[in-house]
Amino acid sequence: MFSRGAVSVQVTAMSPVKLGSSDDNNYADNGEVKAWINTELKGLETIAPLVHSVDETPEPISTQVQGTIPSWINGHLLRNGPGKFEFGNTHYNHWFDGMAMLHQFKLEKGQVTYMSQFLQSDAYKKNNESNRIVMSEFGTLSLPDPCKNFFQRFLSRFEMIEPTDNASVSFVKYKGDYYASTETNFMHRVNPETLETLEKVDWSKFIAVNGATAHPHYDPDGTTYNVGNSYGSKGTLYNIIRVPPEKTDAKDTLQGATILSSIVPANKSHPSYYHSFAMSENYVVFIEQPIKMDLLKIMTCKLRGKALSEGIYWDPKQETVFHLVDKHTGEVSSVKYHTKAISVFHQINAFEEDGFLMLDICCSDDGQAINNYLIQNLRKSGDALDKVYNTLCRTFPRRFVLPLNVTSETPTGQNLNTRPSSEATCVKLCKDKVLCQHEDLHGDDLHEFGGLEFPQINYGKYNTRPYRYFYGCGFRHLVGDSLLKMDLKDKTLKIWYQKGFYPSEPVFVPSPDAVEEDDGVILSVVLIPSQDKGTFLLVLDAKTFTELGRANVPVNMPYGFHGTFNASAQI
């Protein structure tokens, strides 16, 4: 071990670790030394109010604007996340389980209104009607119906868990329509003007998949790409999905969706869990990481009386593999790009240049964070809260450089990365295998802010292209506690931070007369758990990262996940 000020570096090999335990004393280090850089913090403020149920605000309400909100921002900031954590005497175990609450901030002529509604999913309606949890979620197994007799309750254990339609992760767009999305096969089409739940859509009715991510990617013409698993006669497959950009009629949803290509997992009975994927101009990049799903445990979780999360585990002995799929032909590259065990939830960008594909991702050297986001952990205080946070592996932005023209003539054993000023390496080990080592997309100062997650860019203009800036949240807590802007030219940071304030994922909105990449604003919803109804929409100048204005919202709001800006709203 060696130290760098208050930062320590510790390296060792680790054995597979189960993620699903809710034991307070099992914080996933299992007595072993961690392989990451951590700065221990003490005296963390409780954020329990950010993970409590709230009431919806179904009609628009006014906000109090301080400073100036540019009059050119016209549209809706739409956000999604959990908003209800119990029904009757039953409660959820995991942050991901809470019922989806949809939020809308309507910006028009320098003024802001706010409204929210619970997504009218089948899960929400059935739970509400029974006044108890009757639909299982990621970390919560529903209990048998108490109205059934003993024999009926016993037989119910042999039934498969019904996939949830609690679409609480994000807002996504297909063919011009907005959908509340999660990672199962169900989405809900939503009216962005009213937040009305319009239609439940099932991916499996259109293509042979059992789900899709809540982080699709878009070509400039509106063609949408996604990734979803299938479990059928061919075994488990990772499927690259393509959805056409336009409707054929007014009732069209996912009609015309196709499976562009399929990738066979390294272990069909233990495929990788993934939350997102990357895309360049010509390639989809699928990341097969060592967060694994034990399909037998998942299929038998109800029989065993365990939640789905019990079937997910981290195996650091496995390497991470990057798979490239040609977007035009569907061909899966025979060359596989390997790196050490890392966990990835969100990509920053990917682009091609000089015969290389630059893959920029937020990743960590440990994949056990999911277990830390139990609701009981998020509601802790004092030393217990500090302990939870200090067992987390921080997430940092990194770049991998993948050579695109690897052939039988490509030499082995030497660095193929010829890009100037790049510290990343890529070495051909043997036929069709390249070993990649990342370069950091940050300076040492990022450690002071707990790493970076929820990355965002000027997506409309710079996704799949060379770019200079990205934005995200710093994590000196279990949720974001600062907003960060990274300049890749010199790896310098701009920071927005106020003690005790917890901002959401930043959303970049370009100005109508934008010339430079960072001409625009950053929108983020900021929560203050120490204040009743301490909520406001923050507007930052994206170039200077200084505050332009804020709209104070007189409601309590839970900390959410993802969202988008609907600039095409008719207002």
Side-chain angles (χ1 to χ4, degrees):
M1 183 180 81
F2 61 95
S3 64
R4 188 185 300 152
V7 179
S8 64
V9 179
Q10 302 172 315
V11 181
T12 189
M14 294 181 289
S15 301
V17 180
K18 181 179 175 184
L19 293 183
S21 174
S22 60
D23 185 348
D24 281 356
N25 297 317
N26 180 12
Y27 287 100
D29 63 356
N30 284 2
E32 301 193 63
V33 186
K34 303 176 183 65
W36 59 76
I37 296 175
N38 265 2
T39 303
E40 286 205 354
L41 297 180
K42 294 184 177 180
L44 291 175
E45 173 189 23
T46 181
I47 56 168
L50 306 187
V51 281
H52 275 280
S53 299
V54 298
D55 295 327
E56 59 186 1
T57 307
E59 298 296 329
I61 60 173
S62 299
T63 65
Q64 180 185 9
V65 174
Q66 293 178 260
T68 301
I69 295 179
S71 59
W72 58 261
I73 310 175
N74 289 294
H76 299 140
L77 174 65
L78 304 172
R79 284 191 49 77
N80 197 348
K84 187 173 179 61
F85 299 94
E86 66 283 313
F87 287 90
N89 295 323
T90 59
H91 63 273
Y92 291 113
N93 298 322
H94 201 283
W95 191 25
F96 298 171
D97 299 343
M99 292 290 98
M101 175 172 265
L102 311 178
H103 306 266
Q104 180 215 83
F105 294 83
K106 179 179 178 180
L107 296 91
E108 181 179 19
K109 299 178 181 178
Q111 297 300 311
V112 180
T113 61
Y114 168 79
M115 65 184 299
S116 65
Q117 289 192 32
F118 284 110
L119 180 72
Q120 295 300 301
S121 63
D122 289 344
Y124 177 81
K125 290 186 286 188
K126 289 178 180 179
N127 293 339
N128 218 24
E129 182 180 348
S130 300
N131 196 32
R132 66 181 184 88
I133 296 171
V134 299
M135 293 283 290
S136 296
E137 299 291 340
F138 172 75
T140 304
L141 181 69
S142 64
L143 297 176
D145 187 347
C147 295
K148 292 182 177 180
N149 61 40
F150 173 80
F151 185 65
Q152 289 172 321
R153 293 199 300 271
F154 174 75
L155 288 180
S156 70
R157 286 184 173 270
F158 295 89
E159 299 170 355
M160 288 288 291
I161 287 182
E162 182 181 352
T164 183
D165 68 335
N166 175 36
S168 63
V169 177
S170 188
F171 271 98
V172 299
K173 198 173 184 180
Y174 293 97
K175 302 182 182 181
D177 288 334
Y178 284 90
Y179 292 83
S181 180
T182 183
E183 297 178 345
T184 69
N185 52 307
F186 296 117
M187 300 188 298
H188 289 272
R189 189 164 63 89
V190 173
N191 184 334
E193 301 274 349
T194 65
L195 298 184
E196 179 186 1
T197 304
L198 300 174
E199 180 181 7
K200 179 178 175 179
V201 177
D202 183 349
W203 276 102
S204 66
K205 301 297 184 184
F206 301 92
I207 51 176
V209 296
N210 296 91
T213 80
H215 290 285
H217 277 293
Y218 307 95
D219 273 344
D221 69 351
T223 300
T224 308
Y225 295 84
N226 210 330
V227 180
N229 281 8
S230 60
Y231 312 99
S233 59
K234 297 181 180 179
T236 304
L237 295 172
Y238 309 124
N239 301 290
I240 312 302
I241 302 165
R242 181 162 58 195
V243 181
E246 296 179 354
K247 296 183 177 184
T248 55
D249 60 59
K251 296 182 179 180
D252 195 342
T253 55
L254 296 176
Q255 282 81 355
T258 57
I259 292 178
L260 175 66
S261 186
S262 298
I263 300 169
V264 179
N267 185 334
K268 287 189 175 184
S269 63
H270 292 252
S272 290
Y273 167 80
Y274 52 92
H275 184 71
S276 61
F277 64 101
M279 187 179 83
S280 67
E281 182 179 1
N282 295 298
Y283 296 94
V284 167
V285 185
F286 176 74
I287 303 174
E288 191 171 19
Q289 62 183 346
I291 301 179
K292 298 295 183 178
M293 299 187 293
D294 186 326
L295 296 186
L296 180 60
K297 283 189 175 181
I298 290 173
M299 291 174 63
T300 60
C301 62
K302 195 169 184 180
L303 176 63
R304 297 181 297 110
K306 302 291 185 180
L308 289 168
S309 57
E310 291 279 333
I312 298 179
Y313 66 98
W314 166 247
D315 186 356
K317 293 181 179 179
Q318 301 295 318
E319 291 183 327
T320 299
V321 182
F322 305 128
H323 300 268
L324 267 58
V325 178
D326 189 303
K327 288 165 58 179
H328 309 289
T329 66
E331 180 182 359
V332 181
S333 173
S334 61
V335 178
K336 305 302 177 187
Y337 304 87
H338 292 243
T339 192
K340 66 178 182 178
I342 57 173
S343 67
V344 183
F345 278 84
H346 301 110
Q347 280 73 45
I348 305 169
N349 200 1
F351 62 93
E352 301 157 41
E353 195 172 62
D354 302 327
F356 297 93
L357 188 150
M358 270 55 70
L359 175 63
D360 296 352
I361 58 181
C362 286
C363 54
S364 65
D365 297 325
D366 179 79
Q368 303 170 72
I370 292 176
N371 187 47
N372 284 277
Y373 284 93
L374 297 170
I375 292 173
Q376 65 177 9
N377 284 346
L378 290 162
R379 291 177 178 172
K380 288 181 185 293
S381 60
D383 291 344
L385 176 60
D386 295 346
K387 183 177 180 180
V388 173
Y389 176 78
N390 289 322
T391 58
L392 278 176
C393 179
R394 313 294 186 261
T395 300
F396 291 93
R398 297 171 177 173
R399 172 170 292 175
F400 292 87
V401 177
L402 313 183
L404 294 173
N405 302 311
V406 178
T407 68
S408 59
E409 304 299 319
T410 303
T412 60
Q414 67 184 54
N415 184 15
L416 303 177
N417 182 13
T418 57
R419 292 175 58 80
S421 305
S422 174
E423 298 176 358
T425 62
C426 43
V427 178
K428 180 183 175 184
L429 298 182
C430 57
K431 181 184 178 182
D432 295 338
K433 182 175 182 179
V434 175
L435 182 64
C436 299
Q437 173 64 42
H438 72 270
E439 62 178 302
D440 291 332
L441 295 182
H442 63 90
D444 289 343
D445 54 351
L446 185 57
H447 293 286
E448 300 175 23
F449 296 93
L452 183 148
E453 250 293 1
F454 292 152
Q456 293 286 311
I457 62 171
N458 182 345
Y459 190 96
K461 293 291 185 181
Y462 289 89
N463 187 53
T464 76
R465 301 174 184 176
Y467 70 113
R468 180 173 172 178
Y469 304 107
F470 64 90
Y471 312 87
C473 286
F475 272 76
R476 284 179 295 194
H477 212 301
L478 295 177
V479 298
D481 78 325
S482 61
L483 292 170
L484 308 175
K485 176 185 180 180
M486 181 66 71
D487 185 343
L488 290 176
K489 184 178 180 180
D490 51 11
K491 297 182 181 178
T492 55
L493 277 176
K494 284 186 168 66
I495 301 107
W496 182 92
Y497 169 76
Q498 287 187 238
K499 183 176 175 59
F501 289 30
Y502 298 88
S504 71
E505 168 192 69
V507 173
F508 179 85
V509 181
S511 59
D513 55 353
V515 175
E516 297 184 324
E517 180 181 343
D518 56 352
D519 285 340
V521 298
I522 291 294
L523 303 180
S524 177
V525 179
V526 181
L527 308 179
I528 311 172
S530 62
Q531 297 181 16
D532 183 44
K533 300 180 180 179
T535 303
F536 62 89
L537 174 65
L538 174 68
V539 183
L540 298 179
D541 183 316
K543 185 176 291 293
T544 64
F545 230 52
T546 55
E547 181 173 343
L548 298 175
R550 62 178 67 177
N552 296 294
V553 188
V555 299
N556 290 314
M557 193 181 301
Y559 197 89
F561 296 140
H562 299 291
T564 189
F565 185 73
N566 172 25
S568 60
Q570 300 298 314
I571 59 177

